[in-house]
Amino acid sequence: MLIFERRAGERLHIGDEIEVRVLDTDGERVRIAVEAPRDVRVESVDESCEHNESSIDRK
């Protein structure tokens, strides 16, 4: 696992096709945007769900 620190407006890339942008932070809440190809599944998993090993299908 990699851990990054980013501020609102900053972004990071995963490979050549996935971009994660930090839109806003408000206390403990962070709004992010994920831009990925249509064939990549991106899921939101909240704390009350069982731990998912991966929330992105890799093809």
Side-chain angles (χ1 to χ4, degrees):
M1 175 187 300
L2 296 173
I3 299 173
F4 295 93
E5 289 186 16
R6 293 287 182 261
R7 294 188 174 126
E10 295 182 331
R11 60 190 177 174
L12 60 93
H13 288 107
I14 302 172
D16 293 330
E17 299 182 331
I18 300 173
E19 179 178 283
V20 179
R21 284 179 277 164
V22 179
L23 300 177
D24 188 24
T25 60
D26 181 19
E28 292 185 16
R29 297 183 62 93
V30 177
R31 292 182 60 221
I32 62 169
V34 178
E35 191 169 325
R38 288 193 176 269
D39 64 334
V40 175
R41 188 176 73 198
V42 178
E43 295 179 359
S44 176
V45 180
D46 67 30
E47 297 171 3
S48 63
C49 294
E50 290 184 24
H51 177 69
N52 259 353
E53 190 170 310
S54 174
S55 60
I56 299 177
D57 281 347
R58 303 195 190 283
K59 299 194 180 212

